[in-house]
PDB file of all heavy atoms in Angstrom:
ATOM      1  N   GLU A   1       5.370  -5.211  -5.190  1.00  0.00           N
ATOM      2  CA  GLU A   1       4.026  -4.596  -5.195  1.00  0.00           C
ATOM      3  C   GLU A   1       3.360  -4.653  -3.820  1.00  0.00           C
ATOM      4  O   GLU A   1       2.176  -4.353  -3.681  1.00  0.00           O
ATOM      5  CB  GLU A   1       3.092  -5.316  -6.221  1.00  0.00           C
ATOM      6  CG  GLU A   1       3.708  -5.664  -7.536  1.00  0.00           C
ATOM      7  CD  GLU A   1       3.853  -4.497  -8.477  1.00  0.00           C
ATOM      8  OE1 GLU A   1       3.479  -3.379  -8.100  1.00  0.00           O
ATOM      9  OE2 GLU A   1       4.339  -4.687  -9.610  1.00  0.00           O
ATOM     10  N   SER A   2       4.123  -4.997  -2.793  1.00  0.00           N
ATOM     11  CA  SER A   2       3.517  -5.334  -1.507  1.00  0.00           C
ATOM     12  C   SER A   2       3.086  -4.127  -0.678  1.00  0.00           C
ATOM     13  O   SER A   2       2.471  -4.284   0.372  1.00  0.00           O
ATOM     14  CB  SER A   2       4.470  -6.181  -0.672  1.00  0.00           C
ATOM     15  OG  SER A   2       5.613  -5.424  -0.281  1.00  0.00           O
ATOM     16  N   SER A   3       3.419  -2.934  -1.132  1.00  0.00           N
ATOM     17  CA  SER A   3       3.091  -1.740  -0.343  1.00  0.00           C
ATOM     18  C   SER A   3       2.535  -0.646  -1.234  1.00  0.00           C
ATOM     19  O   SER A   3       3.108  -0.300  -2.258  1.00  0.00           O
ATOM     20  CB  SER A   3       4.356  -1.197   0.353  1.00  0.00           C
ATOM     21  OG  SER A   3       4.901  -2.158   1.228  1.00  0.00           O
ATOM     22  N   GLY A   4       1.361  -0.155  -0.838  1.00  0.00           N
ATOM     23  CA  GLY A   4       0.809   1.042  -1.456  1.00  0.00           C
ATOM     24  C   GLY A   4      -0.003   0.863  -2.694  1.00  0.00           C
ATOM     25  O   GLY A   4      -0.677   1.828  -3.132  1.00  0.00           O
ATOM     26  N   MET A   5      -0.019  -0.311  -3.296  1.00  0.00           N
ATOM     27  CA  MET A   5      -0.664  -0.449  -4.596  1.00  0.00           C
ATOM     28  C   MET A   5      -2.148  -0.704  -4.452  1.00  0.00           C
ATOM     29  O   MET A   5      -2.592  -1.520  -3.642  1.00  0.00           O
ATOM     30  CB  MET A   5      -0.011  -1.576  -5.401  1.00  0.00           C
ATOM     31  CG  MET A   5       1.480  -1.381  -5.643  1.00  0.00           C
ATOM     32  SD  MET A   5       1.919   0.272  -6.260  1.00  0.00           S
ATOM     33  CE  MET A   5       1.126   0.255  -7.868  1.00  0.00           C
ATOM     34  N   MET A   6      -2.928  -0.041  -5.282  1.00  0.00           N
ATOM     35  CA  MET A   6      -4.393  -0.043  -5.217  1.00  0.00           C
ATOM     36  C   MET A   6      -4.986  -0.167  -6.619  1.00  0.00           C
ATOM     37  O   MET A   6      -4.278  -0.051  -7.616  1.00  0.00           O
ATOM     38  CB  MET A   6      -4.893   1.255  -4.563  1.00  0.00           C
ATOM     39  CG  MET A   6      -4.330   1.550  -3.161  1.00  0.00           C
ATOM     40  SD  MET A   6      -5.117   0.534  -1.916  1.00  0.00           S
ATOM     41  CE  MET A   6      -6.745   1.232  -1.897  1.00  0.00           C
ATOM     42  N   ALA A   7      -6.283  -0.328  -6.676  1.00  0.00           N
ATOM     43  CA  ALA A   7      -7.040  -0.211  -7.924  1.00  0.00           C
ATOM     44  C   ALA A   7      -6.469  -1.063  -9.036  1.00  0.00           C
ATOM     45  O   ALA A   7      -6.306  -0.634 -10.160  1.00  0.00           O
ATOM     46  CB  ALA A   7      -7.107   1.269  -8.357  1.00  0.00           C
ATOM     47  N   SER A   8      -6.133  -2.308  -8.703  1.00  0.00           N
ATOM     48  CA  SER A   8      -5.586  -3.262  -9.707  1.00  0.00           C
ATOM     49  C   SER A   8      -4.349  -2.707 -10.386  1.00  0.00           C
ATOM     50  O   SER A   8      -4.187  -2.829 -11.605  1.00  0.00           O
ATOM     51  CB  SER A   8      -6.673  -3.603 -10.737  1.00  0.00           C
ATOM     52  OG  SER A   8      -7.871  -4.030 -10.110  1.00  0.00           O
ATOM     53  N   LEU A   9      -3.477  -2.119  -9.606  1.00  0.00           N
ATOM     54  CA  LEU A   9      -2.203  -1.532 -10.036  1.00  0.00           C
ATOM     55  C   LEU A   9      -2.340  -0.210 -10.775  1.00  0.00           C
ATOM     56  O   LEU A   9      -1.315   0.366 -11.198  1.00  0.00           O
ATOM     57  CB  LEU A   9      -1.380  -2.521 -10.891  1.00  0.00           C
ATOM     58  CG  LEU A   9      -0.825  -3.741 -10.170  1.00  0.00           C
ATOM     59  CD1 LEU A   9       0.028  -4.575 -11.150  1.00  0.00           C
ATOM     60  CD2 LEU A   9       0.020  -3.377  -8.964  1.00  0.00           C
ATOM     61  N   LEU A  10      -3.540   0.285 -10.932  1.00  0.00           N
ATOM     62  CA  LEU A  10      -3.714   1.589 -11.583  1.00  0.00           C
ATOM     63  C   LEU A  10      -3.432   2.750 -10.628  1.00  0.00           C
ATOM     64  O   LEU A  10      -3.181   3.867 -11.068  1.00  0.00           O
ATOM     65  CB  LEU A  10      -5.126   1.714 -12.164  1.00  0.00           C
ATOM     66  CG  LEU A  10      -5.433   0.835 -13.359  1.00  0.00           C
ATOM     67  CD1 LEU A  10      -6.905   0.962 -13.736  1.00  0.00           C
ATOM     68  CD2 LEU A  10      -4.541   1.182 -14.549  1.00  0.00           C
ATOM     69  N   GLY A  11      -3.503   2.484  -9.322  1.00  0.00           N
ATOM     70  CA  GLY A  11      -3.361   3.559  -8.358  1.00  0.00           C
ATOM     71  C   GLY A  11      -2.388   3.214  -7.232  1.00  0.00           C
ATOM     72  O   GLY A  11      -2.081   2.037  -6.978  1.00  0.00           O
ATOM     73  N   ALA A  12      -1.903   4.250  -6.576  1.00  0.00           N
ATOM     74  CA  ALA A  12      -1.049   4.120  -5.399  1.00  0.00           C
ATOM     75  C   ALA A  12      -1.583   5.044  -4.313  1.00  0.00           C
ATOM     76  O   ALA A  12      -2.144   6.108  -4.620  1.00  0.00           O
ATOM     77  CB  ALA A  12       0.403   4.437  -5.717  1.00  0.00           C
ATOM     78  N   SER A  13      -1.397   4.649  -3.075  1.00  0.00           N
ATOM     79  CA  SER A  13      -1.988   5.382  -1.943  1.00  0.00           C
ATOM     80  C   SER A  13      -0.978   5.572  -0.831  1.00  0.00           C
ATOM     81  O   SER A  13      -0.306   4.620  -0.414  1.00  0.00           O
ATOM     82  CB  SER A  13      -3.207   4.608  -1.411  1.00  0.00           C
ATOM     83  OG  SER A  13      -3.548   5.045  -0.101  1.00  0.00           O
ATOM     84  N   PHE A  14      -0.886   6.817  -0.347  1.00  0.00           N
ATOM     85  CA  PHE A  14      -0.005   7.105   0.795  1.00  0.00           C
ATOM     86  C   PHE A  14      -0.516   6.379   2.048  1.00  0.00           C
ATOM     87  O   PHE A  14       0.284   5.806   2.797  1.00  0.00           O
ATOM     88  CB  PHE A  14       0.038   8.610   1.041  1.00  0.00           C
ATOM     89  CG  PHE A  14       0.657   9.394  -0.075  1.00  0.00           C
ATOM     90  CD1 PHE A  14      -0.137  10.093  -0.985  1.00  0.00           C
ATOM     91  CD2 PHE A  14       2.028   9.419  -0.266  1.00  0.00           C
ATOM     92  CE1 PHE A  14       0.417  10.816  -2.016  1.00  0.00           C
ATOM     93  CE2 PHE A  14       2.607  10.146  -1.297  1.00  0.00           C
ATOM     94  CZ  PHE A  14       1.790  10.846  -2.189  1.00  0.00           C
ATOM     95  N   GLU A  15      -1.811   6.422   2.267  1.00  0.00           N
ATOM     96  CA  GLU A  15      -2.377   5.759   3.447  1.00  0.00           C
ATOM     97  C   GLU A  15      -2.140   4.253   3.397  1.00  0.00           C
ATOM     98  O   GLU A  15      -1.843   3.616   4.410  1.00  0.00           O
ATOM     99  CB  GLU A  15      -3.868   6.048   3.573  1.00  0.00           C
ATOM    100  CG  GLU A  15      -4.210   7.525   3.733  1.00  0.00           C
ATOM    101  CD  GLU A  15      -4.651   8.158   2.423  1.00  0.00           C
ATOM    102  OE1 GLU A  15      -4.057   7.795   1.378  1.00  0.00           O
ATOM    103  OE2 GLU A  15      -5.562   9.005   2.455  1.00  0.00           O
ATOM    104  N   ALA A  16      -2.281   3.685   2.202  1.00  0.00           N
ATOM    105  CA  ALA A  16      -2.055   2.233   2.059  1.00  0.00           C
ATOM    106  C   ALA A  16      -0.610   1.880   2.379  1.00  0.00           C
ATOM    107  O   ALA A  16      -0.339   0.834   2.969  1.00  0.00           O
ATOM    108  CB  ALA A  16      -2.428   1.792   0.641  1.00  0.00           C
ATOM    109  N   PHE A  17       0.342   2.724   1.998  1.00  0.00           N
ATOM    110  CA  PHE A  17       1.730   2.470   2.345  1.00  0.00           C
ATOM    111  C   PHE A  17       1.888   2.310   3.866  1.00  0.00           C
ATOM    112  O   PHE A  17       2.538   1.385   4.345  1.00  0.00           O
ATOM    113  CB  PHE A  17       2.631   3.607   1.862  1.00  0.00           C
ATOM    114  CG  PHE A  17       3.368   3.306   0.583  1.00  0.00           C
ATOM    115  CD1 PHE A  17       2.876   3.767  -0.631  1.00  0.00           C
ATOM    116  CD2 PHE A  17       4.521   2.580   0.596  1.00  0.00           C
ATOM    117  CE1 PHE A  17       3.549   3.494  -1.813  1.00  0.00           C
ATOM    118  CE2 PHE A  17       5.218   2.281  -0.579  1.00  0.00           C
ATOM    119  CZ  PHE A  17       4.717   2.763  -1.784  1.00  0.00           C
ATOM    120  N   VAL A  18       1.293   3.221   4.599  1.00  0.00           N
ATOM    121  CA  VAL A  18       1.409   3.191   6.073  1.00  0.00           C
ATOM    122  C   VAL A  18       0.769   1.948   6.632  1.00  0.00           C
ATOM    123  O   VAL A  18       1.328   1.258   7.509  1.00  0.00           O
ATOM    124  CB  VAL A  18       0.794   4.482   6.659  1.00  0.00           C
ATOM    125  CG1 VAL A  18       0.720   4.390   8.175  1.00  0.00           C
ATOM    126  CG2 VAL A  18       1.611   5.703   6.232  1.00  0.00           C
ATOM    127  N   LEU A  19      -0.430   1.617   6.160  1.00  0.00           N
ATOM    128  CA  LEU A  19      -1.152   0.442   6.665  1.00  0.00           C
ATOM    129  C   LEU A  19      -0.465  -0.854   6.224  1.00  0.00           C
ATOM    130  O   LEU A  19      -0.420  -1.814   7.001  1.00  0.00           O
ATOM    131  CB  LEU A  19      -2.598   0.470   6.197  1.00  0.00           C
ATOM    132  CG  LEU A  19      -3.477   1.533   6.856  1.00  0.00           C
ATOM    133  CD1 LEU A  19      -4.840   1.551   6.216  1.00  0.00           C
ATOM    134  CD2 LEU A  19      -3.593   1.273   8.357  1.00  0.00           C
ATOM    135  N   ASP A  20       0.050  -0.883   5.007  1.00  0.00           N
ATOM    136  CA  ASP A  20       0.721  -2.090   4.563  1.00  0.00           C
ATOM    137  C   ASP A  20       1.964  -2.345   5.407  1.00  0.00           C
ATOM    138  O   ASP A  20       2.296  -3.505   5.695  1.00  0.00           O
ATOM    139  CB  ASP A  20       1.127  -1.954   3.092  1.00  0.00           C
ATOM    140  CG  ASP A  20      -0.065  -2.046   2.154  1.00  0.00           C
ATOM    141  OD1 ASP A  20      -1.135  -2.531   2.591  1.00  0.00           O
ATOM    142  OD2 ASP A  20       0.059  -1.621   0.991  1.00  0.00           O
ATOM    143  N   ASN A  21       2.656  -1.290   5.801  1.00  0.00           N
ATOM    144  CA  ASN A  21       3.829  -1.479   6.637  1.00  0.00           C
ATOM    145  C   ASN A  21       3.445  -2.173   7.947  1.00  0.00           C
ATOM    146  O   ASN A  21       4.141  -3.069   8.422  1.00  0.00           O
ATOM    147  CB  ASN A  21       4.476  -0.126   6.931  1.00  0.00           C
ATOM    148  CG  ASN A  21       5.773  -0.248   7.700  1.00  0.00           C
ATOM    149  OD1 ASN A  21       6.754  -0.796   7.200  1.00  0.00           O
ATOM    150  ND2 ASN A  21       5.785   0.280   8.915  1.00  0.00           N
ATOM    151  N   GLU A  22       2.318  -1.770   8.518  1.00  0.00           N
ATOM    152  CA  GLU A  22       1.862  -2.409   9.752  1.00  0.00           C
ATOM    153  C   GLU A  22       1.414  -3.849   9.488  1.00  0.00           C
ATOM    154  O   GLU A  22       1.721  -4.764  10.278  1.00  0.00           O
ATOM    155  CB  GLU A  22       0.718  -1.590  10.350  1.00  0.00           C
ATOM    156  CG  GLU A  22       0.213  -2.106  11.697  1.00  0.00           C
ATOM    157  CD  GLU A  22      -0.667  -1.090  12.402  1.00  0.00           C
ATOM    158  OE1 GLU A  22      -0.187   0.041  12.663  1.00  0.00           O
ATOM    159  OE2 GLU A  22      -1.816  -1.433  12.679  1.00  0.00           O
ATOM    160  N   MET A  23       0.684  -4.052   8.404  1.00  0.00           N
ATOM    161  CA  MET A  23       0.269  -5.389   8.059  1.00  0.00           C
ATOM    162  C   MET A  23       1.437  -6.320   7.866  1.00  0.00           C
ATOM    163  O   MET A  23       1.421  -7.485   8.298  1.00  0.00           O
ATOM    164  CB  MET A  23      -0.598  -5.343   6.776  1.00  0.00           C
ATOM    165  CG  MET A  23      -1.067  -6.673   6.253  1.00  0.00           C
ATOM    166  SD  MET A  23       0.031  -7.399   4.995  1.00  0.00           S
ATOM    167  CE  MET A  23      -0.163  -6.254   3.638  1.00  0.00           C
ATOM    168  N   LEU A  24       2.507  -5.827   7.241  1.00  0.00           N
ATOM    169  CA  LEU A  24       3.668  -6.662   6.983  1.00  0.00           C
ATOM    170  C   LEU A  24       4.407  -7.056   8.259  1.00  0.00           C
ATOM    171  O   LEU A  24       5.080  -8.092   8.274  1.00  0.00           O
ATOM    172  CB  LEU A  24       4.612  -5.957   5.997  1.00  0.00           C
ATOM    173  CG  LEU A  24       4.070  -5.835   4.569  1.00  0.00           C
ATOM    174  CD1 LEU A  24       4.989  -4.967   3.706  1.00  0.00           C
ATOM    175  CD2 LEU A  24       3.877  -7.209   3.919  1.00  0.00           C
ATOM    176  N   SER A  25       4.285  -6.237   9.300  1.00  0.00           N
ATOM    177  CA  SER A  25       4.838  -6.683  10.577  1.00  0.00           C
ATOM    178  C   SER A  25       4.139  -7.942  11.059  1.00  0.00           C
ATOM    179  O   SER A  25       4.774  -8.893  11.538  1.00  0.00           O
ATOM    180  CB  SER A  25       4.699  -5.576  11.646  1.00  0.00           C
ATOM    181  OG  SER A  25       5.645  -4.554  11.448  1.00  0.00           O
TER     182      SER A  25
END
């Protein structure tokens, strides 16, 4: 669940995927 998940798992976000990738670095 570490990338892209939003809204208490009800939603997914393209922008969050990109930002999570950077955060995970």
Side-chain angles (χ1 to χ4, degrees):
E1 318 283 1
S2 68
S3 299
M5 301 312 295
M6 303 284 291
S8 308
L9 291 183
L10 291 174
S13 162
F14 296 102
E15 299 99 323
F17 260 99
V18 171
L19 289 174
D20 288 343
N21 185 65
E22 184 166 301
M23 177 267 292
L24 291 172
S25 285

